[in-house]
Every structure is written in structure tokens, then in C-alpha cells.
Amino acid sequence: MTETVKLKNITIVLNQPRYPENIGAAVRAMRNMGIDRLIVVDPRDYDLEKIRKMATHGCLDTVAAIQRQTDLKAALESFHYVIGTTARLGGQRRTGKPDATAKKIVSISQENQVAVVFGREDRGLSNEELRLCHELVHIPTAEFSSLNLAQAVMIMCYELFNACVPSKPAFTPRMAQRRELDAMLDQLRDILIRISYINPENPDYWMHHLRQFFTRIQARAREVSIIRGLIRQVDWYAEKRYRDGRRDERNRIMGKGAAECD
């Protein structure tokens, strides 16, 4: 007995694709592997006739159900786990391979909505967009490393379709949605700036490792809520200490002035 990826909980996300033919070819690749949920974010050209032609007649229902969004962050808000694809290596990018990532998704997909994000044909996902992802995947190639968008979609969908683990996989509970995690990280960044823990001139640099930590531990919604409550309490206490200090300083000055008058 084996457990496989729950394909109905997988959504492919194309961010700012340039060509409608690539959207249609991606639909065909998805359906070949049993995945039928697609979000297209801010496409440059959304010619439905060209999309339908490349998707073929058997996939027209998926084309009709495509969700169009204008902003990637908003498009990912309701997902519990986000996988970003990148052709670039090095720097602060920690990437996995498609087969290893797919096996990891087996347990996650049982109770969580998973998005697999593909960037623009010419330049992929920006660093800011990659920070929206819990995990990054790099598709290894030979010396010539230029993959067509639909080819990349097919490879990822194929690995997800084939991924399996022995029965009784490691249980993964329902995780916090992307919007819940991002709201907590924004709140944490603001309070860390206020208490002078991180440099306000470049907060994203200092937040990078904290962001990696919180995405790696696969936090649950309740855990994120608890952390946000702690942050609010720290904020309240810092504000209270500030007000108390201002009041004590005023009292001290007033007391000193009264003593000089005597």
C-alpha cells in the first residue's frame, strides 16, 4: 500500500505569462497528469482562442475554469504551501529537485492546498516573489538550460503524479495559509524595527532568515495566531513603557521646577 499526492489539492500558478500558447500547452500538460486547477496572474496576452487551440478540445473545461488574478501575492493568500520554480541558483536560494519535492508534498497535500508557481518565460520569478514561497525547486538540465514554460509545467506535474510513499506517511496537519503567515511576518518585522532589533534601512535582509525559519517549520494557523498575540503584547508593553517614561520625565521636571521656586 502506498500514499500518493492528492492531485485535487494541487494548483498550478502561471505568473505573468507572455504567450497564450504557453498557457494552453500548460493546461494540456496538467491534464495529462491529472491536475486541473490553474491560476493565471496578470498575463500579457490572454487570447482565449489561442489558449483553447493549444489546450486541445479535451481540456476546454479546464480552460473555462482558469482563475485570472492581477497580483501574485493576492493569488497565493489562500494556499497553505507554496512551491516556487527557479532556473537560477546561488545566493540565498536553497532549491530542491522535482522528485524530492513531490515526495514531500504527498503528506502535505492530504490536508492542505498546494500551489506550484512558475514565473515569466524570459526572467522567471523575482526575488520578492520567491519570498512568497515555502520551498524552491530547480529543474536540472544539461548545458543548454532553457526550458519552455509548458515543458517545466509538465515535468513538475509528472513528478507530482508519480510521487508516492509507503502507507502511513508522516502526518502533516492543516497549515497556516500564506496570507496568515505573511501578516504575521509583516507584524514581526514592524515590531523588530520598533525595538531596534533589526536595521530599518534594510529590513528584508534581516528578515530573510526568520522568514525561512517560519516557512520551514510548516506553522499551523493556531500557532501563527499565538505568535501574533505575543507580538501584540510586546508592542503594547513597549508603548506602555514609553508612555510611563514620558510621564515620569515630566513629573521629574515639574518636581525640579517646584523645588527651585521654593
Side-chain angles (χ1 to χ4, degrees), residues 80-108:
H80 304 99
Y81 201 77
V82 179
I83 301 166
T85 58
T86 178
R88 291 171 291 174
L89 299 172
Q92 295 181 328
R93 290 186 179 88
R94 294 183 179 180
T95 61
K97 293 183 178 181
D99 56 344
T101 296
K103 288 181 179 178
K104 182 177 179 180
I105 297 304
V106 171
S107 61
I108 294 176

Side-chain angles (χ1 to χ4, degrees), residues 1-248:
M1 294 287 295
T2 58
E3 192 82 28
T4 60
V5 172
K6 187 175 283 189
L7 297 176
K8 70 176 185 179
N9 287 343
I10 304 296
T11 299
I12 301 300
V13 180
L14 306 182
N15 185 49
Q16 297 185 345
R18 302 182 67 181
Y19 309 108
E21 292 86 354
N22 282 342
I23 299 173
V27 168
R28 186 172 179 177
M30 292 163 48
R31 286 294 298 270
N32 283 334
M33 297 298 126
I35 298 171
D36 59 8
R37 298 173 63 181
L38 175 64
I39 295 175
V40 177
V41 180
D42 191 23
R44 178 170 294 185
D45 181 1
Y46 197 77
D47 187 322
L48 267 175
E49 187 59 34
K50 293 179 180 179
I51 293 172
R52 292 190 187 105
K53 184 176 180 180
M54 287 300 296
T56 70
H57 181 75
C59 302
L60 295 184
D61 56 338
T62 300
V63 173
I66 292 175
Q67 298 180 45
R68 291 181 62 183
Q69 299 279 357
T70 58
D71 177 72
L72 181 61
K73 185 175 182 180
L76 298 176
E77 282 185 343
S78 63
F79 289 93
H80 304 99
Y81 201 77
V82 179
I83 301 166
T85 58
T86 178
R88 291 171 291 174
L89 299 172
Q92 295 181 328
R93 290 186 179 88
R94 294 183 179 180
T95 61
K97 293 183 178 181
D99 56 344
T101 296
K103 288 181 179 178
K104 182 177 179 180
I105 297 304
V106 171
S107 61
I108 294 176
S109 68
Q110 304 307 309
E111 299 293 336
N112 297 282
Q113 294 295 322
V114 179
V116 185
V117 186
F118 297 83
R120 308 159 189 84
E121 291 94 333
D122 56 343
R123 50 196 171 92
L125 296 168
S126 68
N127 288 334
E128 182 180 355
E129 291 161 347
L130 290 172
R131 282 194 285 268
L132 299 174
C133 305
H134 294 78
E135 181 174 353
L136 303 182
V137 175
H138 172 76
I139 300 174
T141 61
E143 183 177 350
F144 182 63
S145 60
S146 178
L147 282 175
N148 174 269
L149 176 60
Q151 291 174 326
V153 171
M154 172 59 88
I155 290 171
M156 286 303 302
C157 291
Y158 173 81
E159 294 293 354
L160 290 166
F161 176 76
N162 280 297
C164 61
V165 296
S167 57
K168 295 203 173 180
F171 173 69
T172 300
R174 184 186 179 281
M175 297 156 55
Q177 292 178 323
R178 186 72 247 182
R179 64 166 163 250
E180 296 169 327
L181 192 59
D182 285 338
M184 183 203 74
L185 289 168
D186 289 344
Q187 191 179 0
L188 181 59
R189 180 195 59 205
D190 292 344
I191 192 63
L192 292 179
I193 290 173
R194 288 191 60 194
I195 65 175
S196 301
Y197 184 81
I198 62 177
N199 185 352
E201 298 298 322
N202 190 10
D204 287 337
Y205 173 82
W206 296 97
M207 285 295 297
H208 175 72
H209 295 295
L210 287 173
R211 183 179 294 275
Q212 280 193 327
F213 170 74
F214 282 112
T215 54
R216 187 173 64 248
I217 64 173
Q218 301 177 10
R220 305 184 197 184
R222 176 169 173 76
E223 293 167 340
V224 167
S225 178
I226 291 172
I227 293 172
R228 295 194 70 181
L230 290 172
I231 295 171
R232 285 193 295 270
Q233 188 66 16
V234 170
D235 187 32
W236 172 84
Y237 186 70
E239 181 65 25
K240 179 179 183 299
R241 288 297 302 270
Y242 174 75
R243 291 197 306 267
D244 290 348
R246 290 289 300 273
R247 183 196 62 208
D248 293 345

